[in-house]
């Protein structure tokens, strides 16, 4: 039997690199998908995915964190035998909750679709329901490996899942679209229904294309579950549970639930912001169009296809936002979430052992690294939103033009979201799950109120959505950081954690903006964008070194790190 653990920094790097890989693969999936489906089709895809997300959060993400924490605590007290007993209890519990989640999606799919005023998403919701069960199976084993500080199986299963999603989802969606279009061109019918033009036929076809893409997501979760279960069986071959396993099973399940319920609800609230957008934005857009649809069409003159009537316009605007901009917005938070997951066992051990110095060092480290990642991404999205959208979605330039101002504001919000995820992980790891839930709930209510206030106004419509996120996550970060200081007793070194990275990121954003609009203005748009991003990256790296924002501990996992660290120390370029 082999079970290899890593330090917090090693685990963070493994999960961060895997998350970056997963997000790149995810972009490779969503970018062509958005080009295939457009705003309306992406509204069906995202609607199904966003309905799936809260169920996934309750049954998978929150429970996985709870399992990781309990595995870590039990392994410290009773060794690997105790950790495997936790896994056995969590496996039964997770599977039962997964089946329940799938049943809820199947039974309420059409009602969900009607509630969000997007009935075209019903088929896609059916297609994603089995993914809940497969994801729960994966979460069982990921929680075990993460609790044992072995992040490699989680990383590999995530990458395999993403690759399968890319290949299966794109192939299914593209194949379905091309087949149904050919049938229309040959017969004038799509599944027996006549349409007067290809544009009108496409709006109907996209329902099936989106469901096919979602089916690729379901297949990918099955692949990930099969892999990580097989990995566990190989690494624990020959190891059997002894004696008290059966007796402790029920107690462990109850203990898991006690830890998991507040964490799951807190995680639900994090993801609930996207569900709030899903359920409120569509309805608010319908209200805005009913008030003055002519103003909205004039506002986007030349950017709305003729086939998109006022009945379909909410789907078109929402799909443009969620399909084109949201995946970019979610890039940095996804990476910093991996840092939070990796830090959780280390924070739990330090807090349980009463090692306050180690606890404070770990918390400051994870927040600082999160901001080092998030700040340049956020500034880059803010200053180069238009060029980035046009580069990624050349087949959807109208949708890109509509959503460019939205992405500018979302660039700032993504920094706050990225800071939220590791702070939440730290509070959860130190036993403050209920306070995290309260803070997140208030933030979600702020977002809901802002959506109803701004998006319902015709002069703002979809442009009002990002301000709710800005207010929501700004509140969460400020209150959570204050609570971390006041009740947990962790002092945040703000200058090192946030001050230096903020200054360097501002230089990065300014340099990238100047390079795009001044230095490389004579080049093609694609070359200008890539060159300006490279220029901003070099400025950022230079600024980090010159200000000492990079610490020696950050270089521990690099090849020849000792030589690099000594060289940079001699030059006074690392703190």
């Amino acid at each position: 039997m082999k079970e290899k653990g890593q330090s917090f920094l090693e685990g963070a790097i493994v999960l961060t690199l895997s998350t970056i890989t997963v997000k790149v693969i995810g972009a490779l999936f969503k970018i062509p998908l958005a080009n295939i489906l457009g705003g309306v089709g992406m509204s069906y895809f995202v609607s199904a995915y966003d309905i799936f997300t809260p169920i996934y959060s309750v049954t998978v993400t929150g429970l996985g964190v709870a399992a990781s924490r309990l595995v870590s605590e039990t392994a410290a007290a009773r060794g690997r035998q105790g950790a495997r007993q936790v896994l056995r209890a969590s496996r039964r519990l997770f599977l039962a909750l997964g089946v329940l989640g799938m049943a809820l999606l199947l039974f309420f799919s059409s009602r969900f679709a009607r509630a969000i005023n997007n009935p075209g998403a019903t088929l896609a919701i059916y297609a994603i329901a089995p993914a809940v069960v497969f994801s729960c199976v994966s979460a069982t084993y990921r929680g075990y490996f993460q609790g044992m500080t072995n992040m490699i199986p989680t990383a590999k299963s995530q990458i395999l899942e993403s690759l399968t999603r890319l290949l299966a989802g794109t192939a299914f969606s593209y194949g379905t679209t091309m087949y149904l279009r050919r049938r229309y061109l040959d017969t004038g019918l799509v599944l027996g229904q006549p349409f007067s033009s290809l544009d009108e036929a496409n709006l109907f076809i996209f329902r099936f294309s989106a469901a096919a893409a979602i089916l690729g997501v379901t297949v990918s979760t099955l692949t990930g579950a099969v892999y990580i279960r097989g990995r566990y069986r190989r690494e624990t071959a020959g190891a059997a549970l002894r004696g008290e396993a059966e007796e402790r099973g029920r107690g462990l399940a109850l203990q898991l639930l006690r830890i998991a319920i507040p964490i799951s609800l807190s995680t639900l609230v994090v993801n609930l912001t996207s569900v709030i957008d899903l359920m409120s934005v569509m309805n608010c857009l319908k209200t805005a169009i009913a008030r003055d649809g002519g103003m909205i069409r004039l506002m986007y003159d030349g950017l709305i296809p003729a086939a998109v009537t006022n009945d379909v316009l909410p789907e078109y605007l929402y799909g443009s936002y969620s399909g084109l901009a949201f995946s970019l917005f979610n890039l940095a938070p996804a990476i910093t979430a991996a840092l939070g997951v990796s830090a959780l066992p280390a924070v739990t051990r330090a807090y349980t052992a009463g090692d306050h110095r180690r606890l404070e060092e770990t918390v400051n480290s994870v927040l600082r690294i999160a901001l080092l990642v998030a700040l340049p991404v956020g500034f880059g999205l803010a200053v180069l939103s238009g060029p980035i959208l046009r580069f990624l979605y050349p087949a959807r330039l109208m949708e890109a033009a509509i959503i460019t101002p939205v992405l500018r504001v979302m660039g700032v919000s993504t920094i706050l979201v990225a800071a939220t995820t590791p702070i939440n992980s730290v509070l959860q790891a130190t036993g403050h799950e209920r306070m995290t839930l309260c803070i997140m709930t208030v933030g979600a209510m702020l977002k809901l109120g802002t959506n109803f206030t701004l998006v319902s106004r015709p002069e703002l419509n979809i442009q009002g959505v990002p301000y709710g996120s800005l207010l929501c996550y700004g509140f969460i970060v400020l209150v959570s950081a204050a609570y971390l200081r006041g009740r947990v007793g962790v002092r945040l070194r703000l200058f090192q954690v946030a001050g230096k990275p903020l200054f360097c990121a501002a230089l990065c954003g300014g340099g990238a903006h100047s390079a795009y609009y001044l230095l490389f203005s004579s080049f093609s748009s694609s070359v200008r964008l890539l060159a300006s991003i490279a220029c901003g990256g070099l400025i950022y790296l230079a600024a980090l070194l010159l200000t000492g924002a990079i610490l020696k501990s950050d270089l521990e996992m690099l090849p020849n790190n000792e030589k690099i660290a000594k060289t940079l120390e001699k030059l006074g370029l690392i703190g």
Side-chain angles (χ1 to χ4, degrees):
M1 179 184 67
K2 299 184 297 180
E3 291 186 88
K4 182 182 178 182
Q6 301 99 29
S7 68
F8 153 65
L9 182 60
E10 291 172 328
I13 290 175
V14 168
L15 279 187
T16 299
L17 291 177
S18 72
T19 301
I20 292 172
T21 304
V22 166
K23 298 309 291 184
V24 169
I25 296 171
L28 292 175
F29 174 44
K30 289 186 178 178
I31 290 169
L33 193 63
N35 282 301
I36 293 169
L37 298 178
V40 174
M42 285 303 291
S43 78
Y44 302 145
F45 176 87
V46 173
S47 293
Y49 205 84
D50 282 353
I51 288 172
F52 163 72
T53 298
I55 298 176
Y56 178 94
S57 299
V58 170
T59 57
V60 180
T61 307
L63 288 170
V65 170
S68 172
R69 176 173 157 183
L70 190 56
V71 165
S72 179
E73 293 174 352
T74 307
R78 304 183 64 252
R80 292 172 180 171
Q81 182 76 7
R84 288 194 295 274
Q85 290 174 357
V86 174
L87 178 133
R88 186 171 182 175
S90 64
R91 184 167 54 199
R92 294 174 178 173
L93 178 64
F94 285 25
L95 184 60
L97 290 172
V99 172
L100 177 62
M102 180 181 69
L104 287 172
L105 274 181
L106 290 173
F107 185 76
F108 291 107
S109 58
S110 59
R111 299 180 189 182
F112 285 150
R114 286 196 301 271
I116 61 174
N117 280 311
N118 199 3
T122 302
L123 190 59
I125 298 172
Y126 277 121
I128 206 169
V132 180
V133 176
F134 304 141
S135 297
C136 281
V137 173
S138 293
T140 302
Y141 297 99
R142 288 177 184 176
Y144 170 81
F145 283 119
Q146 287 163 195
M148 298 297 290
T149 66
N150 183 3
M151 309 299 169
I152 291 176
T154 294
K156 288 186 175 181
S157 68
Q158 288 174 339
I159 292 172
L160 178 62
E161 218 172 273
S162 296
L163 284 171
T164 306
R165 185 181 306 126
L166 167 65
L167 297 174
T170 304
F172 292 171
S173 181
Y174 181 77
T176 300
T177 303
M178 292 299 101
Y179 172 76
L180 293 178
R181 279 182 184 169
R182 282 196 298 269
R183 294 294 300 167
Y184 171 77
L185 294 174
D186 291 342
T187 66
L189 302 173
V190 179
L191 300 177
Q193 294 194 35
F195 295 93
S196 59
S197 69
L198 180 59
D199 286 342
E200 290 185 7
N202 279 334
L203 295 180
F204 182 69
I205 289 170
F206 289 152
R207 299 185 180 193
F208 301 92
S209 303
I214 285 289
L215 185 60
V217 175
T218 297
V219 171
S220 73
T221 58
L222 172 60
T223 304
V226 170
Y227 167 79
I228 200 163
R229 184 176 186 275
R231 177 69 180 260
Y232 172 79
R233 290 173 67 88
R234 288 195 303 273
E235 295 203 3
T236 58
L241 291 176
R242 299 186 300 271
E244 57 189 320
E246 290 292 340
E247 299 174 12
R248 298 191 72 238
R250 181 173 298 179
L252 286 172
L254 293 174
Q255 199 173 349
L256 267 171
L257 283 174
R258 281 195 297 269
I259 298 172
I261 288 173
I263 293 177
S264 296
L265 292 176
S266 177
T267 308
L268 170 62
V269 174
V270 175
N271 290 281
L272 195 58
T273 55
S274 62
V275 179
I276 287 172
D277 279 343
L278 176 65
M279 300 191 70
S280 63
V281 170
M282 297 280 283
N283 288 290
C284 290
L285 285 173
K286 286 186 179 293
T287 300
I289 292 167
R291 288 177 177 174
D292 197 340
M295 176 187 290
I296 297 175
R297 286 189 170 274
L298 185 61
M299 182 177 177
Y300 302 123
D301 187 32
L303 300 178
I304 300 175
V308 177
T309 64
N310 280 0
D311 289 338
V312 187
L313 186 55
E315 287 94 325
Y316 179 74
L317 294 176
Y318 180 74
S320 299
Y321 157 73
S322 58
L324 276 65
F326 199 80
S327 58
L328 298 173
F329 164 79
N330 203 37
L331 176 62
I335 295 172
T336 59
L339 292 172
V341 170
S342 181
L344 192 145
V347 171
T348 299
R349 284 195 298 271
Y351 184 75
T352 303
D355 189 346
H356 188 78
R357 184 187 64 82
R358 184 62 178 166
L359 173 65
E360 194 167 276
E361 286 180 356
T362 304
V363 172
N364 277 276
S365 177
V366 70
L367 286 176
R368 188 175 56 80
I369 295 173
L371 288 176
L372 284 173
V373 172
L375 282 164
V377 175
F379 275 67
L381 291 177
V383 302
L384 294 174
S385 56
I388 289 172
L389 287 169
R390 290 192 296 271
F391 176 77
L392 294 177
Y393 306 104
R396 297 295 170 183
L397 294 180
M398 290 191 293
E399 290 96 323
I402 288 173
I403 220 66
T404 291
V406 175
L407 187 58
R408 290 196 190 107
V409 181
M410 293 173 74
V412 180
S413 299
T414 194
I415 298 169
L416 298 173
V417 181
T420 297
T421 47
I423 290 177
N424 280 345
S425 292
V426 170
L427 290 176
Q428 290 164 1
T430 54
H432 295 84
E433 303 93 343
R434 290 178 176 81
M435 187 61 192
T436 304
L437 174 60
C438 292
I439 294 171
M440 297 298 296
T441 301
V442 174
M445 293 303 101
L446 287 172
K447 179 170 177 58
L448 180 63
T450 306
N451 280 356
F452 276 108
T453 302
L454 299 183
V455 181
S456 298
R457 297 172 60 180
E459 66 272 22
L460 287 176
N461 55 84
I462 198 68
Q463 308 295 328
V465 174
Y467 295 101
S469 298
L470 196 63
L471 181 61
C472 167
Y473 289 105
F475 169 83
I476 291 168
V477 168
L478 290 176
V479 175
S480 297
Y483 188 85
L484 193 64
R485 172 67 185 270
R487 295 300 300 272
V488 184
V490 173
R491 183 174 60 90
L492 298 179
R493 305 181 186 97
L494 293 179
F495 181 68
Q496 187 68 42
V497 169
K500 289 183 179 181
L502 179 61
F503 173 74
C504 297
L507 292 178
C508 167
H513 183 273
S514 300
Y516 185 85
Y517 290 102
L518 298 175
L519 188 59
F520 301 112
S521 59
S522 61
F523 293 85
S524 68
S525 59
S526 297
V527 173
R528 287 169 68 190
L529 177 62
L530 296 175
S532 61
I533 291 174
C535 184
L538 290 174
I539 291 172
Y540 185 59
L541 179 59
L544 290 176
L545 293 173
L546 291 173
T547 59
I550 296 179
L551 302 181
K552 185 177 180 180
S553 58
D554 299 335
L555 306 174
E556 288 182 6
M557 290 301 294
L558 293 177
N560 298 316
N561 63 81
E562 293 183 2
K563 293 181 180 179
I564 295 173
K566 287 180 180 178
T567 302
L568 293 176
E569 277 184 308
K570 288 180 181 178
L571 296 173
L573 296 179
I574 59 173

